Amino acid sequence: MIRKLPDLQHESSPEFQIYIHQVGVQNVKVPFRLDSRYGGSHELVANVTMSTDLGADKKGISMSMLLRTLSNYLDRPLKSKLIRQILEEFETAVETNSKESQLKFEFQLPIYKRAPKSGLVFPQYYDCVFEGRLTPKNFTFFEKVIVQYGSYCPCSASLCEHLKEQGVSGYPHAQRAFAEVIVKVTDTSIDTSPAIVWLEDIIDVVENSVKTGTYPLLRRVDEQEVARIAAENPMFVEDSIRRIANGLNHMGPLYDWIVKCTHQESIHTSDAIAVMWKGVQGGFNGSKFL
């Protein structure tokens, strides 16, 4: 009975024969498993985007085929190899002779953070992304994390010291800051078995580089310690991104990376930003990924 039903996507031609770069679905909520660096696995929920390109002579694709393909893999831990396998099966199923297909999982990763003095522990959630892109010649896999930290203005601190010399008090301003980090683990056109880089490792590199990470739960003794660390690490956005870049350069098996730091100013209406990337041949560029 199903075979007898009409299929306009395959049985008709497009009104205008123009190539479409990406067509698919987004905002698809799915449960999935993710292995943890600390052992065991997380049961998480992801927002999935899945797409492919479409030739000028094709009317469209079967959107449900995207989800039908994905549904066969939701019981397996999410890894780069699994994303590649899903994309390969998807391209065969939709029969579009794709030039590039994409699959992206956006999710929040919980990590238990320990307060610096009291030792209180509470989960902190980090926005993360796994993304795979498949072409006839290559598969590329990216990991992304967004890490919040505190930024304390060196200029404001200096001006407060100047006030202190005049017998007047002042408080240096601080702001929330965010580092968006995208890494490509290895060049998969050469190495089909890329090394594993844990999301937790990337988060550690950022937080250890800037020193002024945030915590979900603090007591007063912890707040005092955070204030002490802040006084030792005032940073312009240029300072924080260079610290993070240095950490990534010493991290290990990273083929490429790109970082964007945003300091949400507390006394200005604008935000301060900085963007850097590793600079390998044919690698990332700021306008394409951030």
Side-chain angles (χ1 to χ4, degrees), residues 10-11 26 28 40 46 83 98 162 165 201 215 235 263 283 285:
H10 290 86
E11 296 172 358
Q26 65 177 18
V28 179
I83 289 178
S98 174
H162 185 261
E165 294 171 0
D201 289 341
Y215 300 87
M235 290 180 295
H263 288 195
N285 65 73

Side-chain angles (χ1 to χ4, degrees), residues 119-140:
L120 292 174
V121 176
F122 203 83
Q124 181 162 314
Y125 284 80
Y126 296 82
D127 291 330
C128 300
V129 176
F130 277 2
E131 181 176 349
R133 300 182 183 183
L134 182 66
T135 70
K137 294 183 178 180
N138 195 18
F139 170 74
T140 52

Side-chain angles (χ1 to χ4, degrees), residues 87-269:
L87 285 172
E88 289 173 343
E89 182 177 323
F90 160 61
E91 286 194 350
T92 300
V94 296
E95 299 177 338
T96 62
N97 296 318
S98 174
K99 294 181 180 178
E100 181 175 85
S101 297
Q102 300 180 6
L103 176 58
K104 179 166 64 175
F105 283 74
E106 300 174 273
F107 55 94
Q108 290 190 315
L109 175 69
I111 295 178
Y112 281 85
K113 294 289 292 291
R114 185 178 300 275
K117 287 294 185 179
S118 68
L120 292 174
V121 176
F122 203 83
Q124 181 162 314
Y125 284 80
Y126 296 82
D127 291 330
C128 300
V129 176
F130 277 2
E131 181 176 349
R133 300 182 183 183
L134 182 66
T135 70
K137 294 183 178 180
N138 195 18
F139 170 74
T140 52
F141 174 71
F142 312 104
E143 302 176 40
K144 177 180 178 179
V145 297
I146 299 178
V147 181
Q148 181 180 330
Y149 61 97
S151 59
Y152 306 89
C153 179
C155 182
S156 180
S158 176
L159 292 172
C160 288
E161 286 296 319
H162 185 261
L163 285 174
K164 187 176 180 180
E165 294 171 0
Q166 302 175 58
V168 182
S169 296
Y171 289 97
H173 68 86
Q175 51 255 334
R176 288 188 173 186
F178 297 87
E180 299 177 58
V181 182
I182 302 175
V183 304
K184 182 179 179 182
V185 177
T186 189
D187 185 356
T188 47
S189 63
I190 300 173
D191 185 357
T192 57
S193 300
I196 294 176
V197 172
W198 297 96
L199 292 167
E200 294 93 334
D201 289 341
I202 304 171
I203 292 167
D204 282 351
V205 165
V206 174
E207 294 184 337
N208 291 336
S209 297
V210 298
K211 310 294 185 185
T212 53
T214 57
Y215 300 87
L217 180 60
L218 296 171
R219 301 192 69 177
R220 279 180 293 175
V221 64
D222 301 308
E223 291 189 25
Q224 186 180 58
E225 178 65 6
V226 169
R228 183 193 67 79
I229 295 171
E232 293 180 351
N233 293 277
M235 290 180 295
F236 295 118
V237 70
E238 299 93 334
D239 299 315
S240 61
I241 200 167
R242 284 174 171 144
R243 286 189 176 192
I244 295 168
N246 179 68
L248 291 171
N249 281 335
H250 290 86
M251 185 173 176
L254 295 185
Y255 175 70
D256 202 2
W257 54 259
I258 180 171
V259 182
K260 178 181 180 180
C261 287
T262 303
H263 288 195
Q264 296 181 342
E265 296 281 3
S266 59
I267 64 171
H268 302 288
T269 57

Side-chain angles (χ1 to χ4, degrees), residues 7-74:
D7 186 352
L8 293 180
Q9 297 286 49
H10 290 86
E11 296 172 358
S12 59
S13 300
E15 179 182 6
F16 300 103
Q17 294 200 358
I18 302 174
Y19 173 77
I20 301 177
H21 292 89
Q22 290 293 311
V23 58
V25 293
Q26 65 177 18
N27 293 325
V28 179
K29 292 290 191 299
V30 298
F32 75 101
R33 289 194 297 126
L34 184 69
D35 289 339
S36 170
R37 184 185 72 176
Y38 308 108
S41 63
H42 301 286
E43 300 288 338
L44 303 175
V45 175
N47 189 322
V48 172
T49 300
M50 197 172 184
S51 63
T52 185
D53 61 334
L54 189 65
D57 61 331
K58 303 288 186 180
K59 177 72 170 177
I61 67 169
S62 172
M63 300 290 182
S64 65
M65 187 60 71
L66 299 167
L67 302 187
R68 287 161 60 188
T69 302
L70 184 61
S71 66
N72 296 324
Y73 294 89
L74 297 180

